Amino acid sequence: MFRENAVDYDKRYRIEREHGAWVLEQLALKEPRLASSSLDTILEIGAGTGPMTRALASRTPFPWKKLYVTDLSPEMLCLNWRQRDSSEPEDQVRYLVCNSLDMPLPDGSMNAVLGMDILHHILDYPVALKEFYRALAPGGFCALKEPHRGAYQMLRFLCHVLLLSDRP
């Protein structure tokens, strides 16, 4: 689906460029301390064609030093990369084709893990959430936005299970 339909994905599924900025604005309103803190590294999971990438690249509302942009589909990530602004600092934004269940990132290397509308594409929630947690630095945060209410209920349940499994 993502490989064959990458070119017309945004049109087909009515993905609006402004949606990524709106999501980040909502996150900043709900967690104002995040917007005021300097984030060294941000990981965007399942970036697709880049609505949130473009918003993150502006460094508003979250300032950052290094941005890692990932997706499982090389075609989607290529479209994302092509849509970058000429002012986007190439040495500070890294595009990686990888599976969110096994990311080639050092443990504790990310101050923030962000994902927009990705959970319904992940087949193994517990493995993915453990992988996000592994990549997070101590004190880091993870924010996942999903278009389906049922996914939030499932995520809440899985977070509870993971927290319990993390305790001796």
Side-chain angles (χ1 to χ4, degrees), residues 34-53:
L34 299 176
S36 63
S37 57
S38 179
L39 302 170
D40 287 340
T41 53
I42 294 180
L43 169 63
E44 181 185 3
I45 297 169
T49 59
M52 190 157 67
T53 306

Side-chain angles (χ1 to χ4, degrees), residues 30-157:
K30 290 181 181 9
E31 294 291 338
R33 66 182 174 86
L34 299 176
S36 63
S37 57
S38 179
L39 302 170
D40 287 340
T41 53
I42 294 180
L43 169 63
E44 181 185 3
I45 297 169
T49 59
M52 190 157 67
T53 306
R54 301 290 72 81
L56 284 167
S58 74
R59 297 182 187 207
T60 305
F62 304 112
W64 50 267
K65 294 178 183 170
K66 188 89 172 174
L67 174 63
Y68 289 82
V69 181
T70 68
D71 200 277
L72 182 59
S73 165
E75 292 80 5
M76 296 287 266
L77 207 55
C78 185
L79 285 172
N80 185 329
W81 181 81
R82 286 185 192 148
Q83 294 180 45
R84 73 194 186 290
D85 187 88
S86 60
S87 65
E88 186 177 298
E90 289 186 36
D91 61 328
Q92 296 171 355
V93 181
R94 185 168 176 207
Y95 292 82
L96 297 168
V97 175
C98 67
N99 190 323
S100 63
L101 302 177
D102 184 24
M103 299 180 292
L105 301 166
D107 293 357
S109 59
M110 300 293 145
N111 297 105
V113 174
L114 305 176
M116 183 173 83
D117 303 345
I118 61 160
L119 293 175
H120 59 280
H121 298 293
I122 294 174
L123 299 177
D124 195 337
Y125 286 161
V127 170
L129 292 173
K130 284 180 182 179
E131 184 66 358
F132 303 165
Y133 180 76
R134 181 195 66 76
L136 275 175
F141 74 94
C142 179
L144 306 171
K145 181 252 180 216
E146 184 65 22
H148 308 291
R149 287 181 193 250
Y152 285 118
Q153 293 169 343
M154 177 58 88
L155 184 60
R156 183 183 310 146
F157 169 75

